[in-house]
Structure formats: structure tokens, C-alpha cells
Amino acid sequence: MLIERIYDEDLAQASYLIGCQARGEAIVVDGRRDIAVYQELARQNGMRIVAVTETHIHADYLSGTRELAAATGSTIYVSGEGGPDWQYEFDGERLYDGSTITLGNITITAVHTPGHTPEHLSFLVTDGAFSDQPGYLLSGDFVFSGDLGRPDLLDEAAGGVDTRFEGAKQLFASLRDKFLTLPDYVQVHPGHGAGSACGKALGAIPSSTVGYERRYAWWGPYLAANDEQGFVAELLEGQPDAHAYFGRMKRENRQGPAVMGRRAPLAELDTADVAHDLAADKVTFIDTRSNSEVHRGTVARSLNIPAGKSVASYGAWVVNPETDNNPLVLLTRDQEQAQDMRDHLVRVGIDNVAGYLTSIDGLPATTPKLIRPEELEGFDAAMVLDVRNRTEHAAGHIPGSHQLSGGRLMWHLDELPAGGTIVTYCQSGVRNSVAASALRRAGYSVVELDGSYAAWTASRSARASVENAH
């Protein structure tokens, strides 16, 4: 048997390829939409992908289940649990608690583990060539290394009202009645790692065991004492902000994400044509450079989505394909980087990329406005806006600032002043540059705090030291 973990650093998301080497057959669990990685992995191991499935209706990325099935002819399996309000709306074999998928000697058994979502399944994997007992659990967003899937996303992203309390109770029951009944040796392979917004304290290690989590995870004492009330309170306390685009992911994943099919390579565009389309507001320019480079000059009304590990996340903060139909033009160093960025963007359903440029020469230019921390006190700002998470804001913030995280900002513009200048900040300046670019494109007057909160605290400490010296 083969189990391969495919990890996306951008979204801190893990998918899995499980294969029977004797039969040359494989299944992909929780795949993403840029599917070449699975096809290549199967090819390298002499396998055919014959089945695709997912643990639940995801909120943080767009599922690649339908994409893989269309490309490989594999059978789709999805949860049939959760009741009528949580049924998938596209064709696929339905799985229920105890349903099995067989690949040669491998048996994959669905286990209904509601809590994060009502329809959530985990998958027990038995390698029949080695044992008649399961040795592995693909836990999806149920159990992470050191943490649990958050039960409040239905309230935060799917329009639920106080569903978090019932979800937390369901998680307690799923742990008690399903997870903790498994032998300690069962290996746990979760769907996310550190950095995901699907939990509040996810560990960075890629896997765990039932026994390790039973003994050392924060929730263990609550289960041992059968303290449901204490468990619910601890689980719901301090959850991070949920990105607003999660609601779109939920809807599209339930309906069935659009199948892209084979995609042509991205072309380098003509600068004059892009300039013409920018003037007519027919395209949206994406500056993929760092915030420090952008601050030295960028394209007017462009969005800053810095290349690196957070392209999908930042892209979904500032590009909403449901309301903005403009094709994107990417500023990248070459075609390879452009196509890599496109792969990241399609993971959150941003599919309309026209092409790329390698320079901003010849395009309408602007220089974002900055303010130094020592100038802030005397600046006439309509609002000082903290685009960090609420947990960061609670830990320390600029007095009088208003918190609205970058992942929710463009969906809550009603919280911003109608006129005047907004001063924005994050922790170091990266998220701030992304959020500020979106506000400028939307017509707001924005000044970024140079160096953001880190620079402000350093400046304050320096001033205090001088005052104490005198």
C-alpha cells in the first residue's frame, strides 16, 4: 500500500493519494483543482486514479474532486450524511457511516464524524495485505495534530445562526464515540496543518496517532472527565477570524466546482494592449512583487498579491469572481511564475487570468502613500484600521484603531467611513499592502503605516527610552 501526502503551503491544506501497488489503482482524498501533481504521482508509481473523494464540503479552498474525475474517468464518492440541508448537488456515489471503497487489498471505510460540518466523514484505511484491522485514519477537518476542526465556520461563512454550539457538541460526541474507540496505534493524517484558519492551534507536524492525541491534546482531559460544557467553552474561545470568501467556497463546493479541463499555457501580453484595457477598466492588474517594491511605485488601481506561499489566500481577500468579471493580468518574472500563480489562484476559484507581463514600464503609475509611526499622532485620519485578526488586535493594538481583518475587509465596507483618509496597518506590512491596494481600487483614500504595528511599537519604545533618559 502507498499513502502519499500532498501539502499546499499556501492554504496549509493536505490531500492524499492512497494506492494499491498490486492492482495499480489509486484514490485521491481532498484533492485540489490544479491536478497535475496527482496525475504525476500516480504515473511515477505505475498507478491509475480510479476513485476520488473528500471528507466534507470544504470552506477554505475549492475542491478538485470533479476536476480529477473529469480528467481520469474515476468514480466520485461524497458524503450522504448530514441531513437534507447538507447534501452535495452534483452526481457521485454517496457514502454513509460504514460505507466502504475497495482498491485491491485496501479497504477504505467511511466514518461519520460531524462537528466541523454536519456531513463530515473521516476515512479508516485497512491494508489487507498486512492486517485485517485499520491502521490509518484520514481525519479531514475533524482531528488535527494537537487541535480540532472549528465548529463555528457555518456561522462565520455559511450563514448559520448559533450552529457553533451544536457543532461543538457533535465534535465532543464524535471524539467520544468514534475517535477514542480506535486503538492507540492508528495513525492520524489530518487535512490541515499550522497556519490554517480551520482551527486555532494546529500543530505543524504532518501526522499523529490516536494514542498521542488521546494523551496530550488539549481536549483529552475534557473527554476523560466527560465535561461537555467545559469542552464547548474551550473549543469556541479565541477562534481566529474566518475569511469572507469561505462562504463562496462552501456554495461552490456544494454545487460542484466548475471543471476547467486542459488549460493552455499563459501568454505574455502586449504592454500597449494592457495599457488600453486598463484605461477602459477591462482588466485588473495584479502586482505580485513584495510590499517594499510596490511602495516604490506600482500600476494605478492595481492589486498587490505578493508571490510566495499565500497567493491563494491573499488573492481571495481582494478578488471576488462573483462580482468582478475582469480578467487578471499578472506581473511576474516569467511564464513559469505566472503559471504557478495561476495554479494557486484556481484553488480558490479565481480562474479568469488573461496572461502576464514582466515589467510595468509603459503602464499608468502611482506611488502608494505611507506615514511614519511618529507622524501618526498628529495625522487627521478618519479611521486607523487594523487589518490583522481579532486575536492579534486583542493582544495589542494602536489605541483607537478599528479592527477588520484583511480576509473580511472587502465584504464589510459599511464599517468604514464614507469620507476622509484611512490609515491602515497589520503586523509587519505585508497584509496591510494587500488590503490597502484593494481599498484604493475601491476608491478609498488610504495611507499605509510604514512598518505597521511592529514599527509603531518600536517607535513608541524608542520614545519612552528617550523620555526616561531625561
Side-chain angles (χ1 to χ4, degrees), residues 116-138:
H116 176 66
T117 61
E119 81 290 350
H120 193 286
L121 300 176
S122 299
F123 294 107
L124 278 170
V125 182
T126 303
D127 181 1
F130 188 75
S131 170
D132 62 354
Q133 296 298 311
Y136 314 88
L137 178 74
L138 272 60

Side-chain angles (χ1 to χ4, degrees), residues 165-348:
F165 302 105
E166 178 61 26
K169 292 178 181 179
Q170 288 178 336
L171 268 176
F172 187 86
S174 293
L175 287 167
R176 180 192 61 207
D177 301 336
K178 302 292 178 65
F179 188 79
L180 292 179
T181 63
L182 298 173
D184 281 353
Y185 60 74
V186 171
Q187 296 179 25
V188 178
H189 297 274
H192 289 287
S196 169
C198 290
K200 63 180 177 180
L202 282 69
I205 59 173
S207 64
S208 186
T209 65
V210 170
Y212 193 86
E213 296 303 308
R214 184 200 310 272
R215 183 164 183 175
Y216 296 112
W218 67 262
W219 48 263
Y222 292 104
L223 269 293
N226 198 31
D227 181 5
E228 181 185 71
Q229 183 176 351
F231 170 87
V232 169
E234 177 69 19
L235 178 62
L236 295 178
E237 175 68 24
Q239 289 288 357
D241 289 314
H243 304 315
Y245 79 88
F246 281 8
R248 176 170 60 87
M249 296 293 94
K250 274 286 185 187
R251 291 192 300 274
E252 293 187 26
N253 279 325
R254 182 178 178 180
Q255 295 164 0
V259 174
M260 301 179 294
R262 188 178 296 276
R263 294 173 293 159
L266 285 177
E268 184 169 6
L269 303 175
D270 180 78
T271 300
D273 290 342
V274 172
H276 178 270
D277 288 341
L278 285 171
D281 195 25
K282 292 182 178 180
V283 297
T284 300
F285 195 85
I286 307 298
D287 193 329
T288 68
R289 298 173 300 163
S290 68
N291 60 310
S292 59
E293 292 175 288
V294 167
H295 289 161
R296 292 194 290 269
T298 186
V299 174
R301 301 189 72 242
S302 64
L303 296 173
N304 181 208
I305 303 175
K309 69 175 187 177
S310 299
V311 172
S313 302
Y314 292 154
W317 286 12
V318 298
V319 177
N320 183 356
E322 291 185 325
T323 58
D324 185 357
N325 296 318
N326 277 358
L328 306 185
V329 175
L330 308 178
L331 173 66
T332 58
R333 63 175 178 267
D334 53 29
Q335 185 187 57
E336 181 180 2
Q337 186 185 45
Q339 297 195 161
D340 179 67
M341 291 201 67
R342 178 176 67 172
D343 281 347
H344 282 251
L345 292 171
V346 300
R347 296 172 198 172
V348 288

Side-chain angles (χ1 to χ4, degrees), residues 122-156:
S122 299
F123 294 107
L124 278 170
V125 182
T126 303
D127 181 1
F130 188 75
S131 170
D132 62 354
Q133 296 298 311
Y136 314 88
L137 178 74
L138 272 60
S139 57
D141 287 19
F142 169 35
V143 175
F144 301 128
S145 294
D147 202 7
L148 301 171
R150 59 192 295 182
D152 62 319
L153 281 184
L154 303 186
D155 289 349
E156 295 285 341

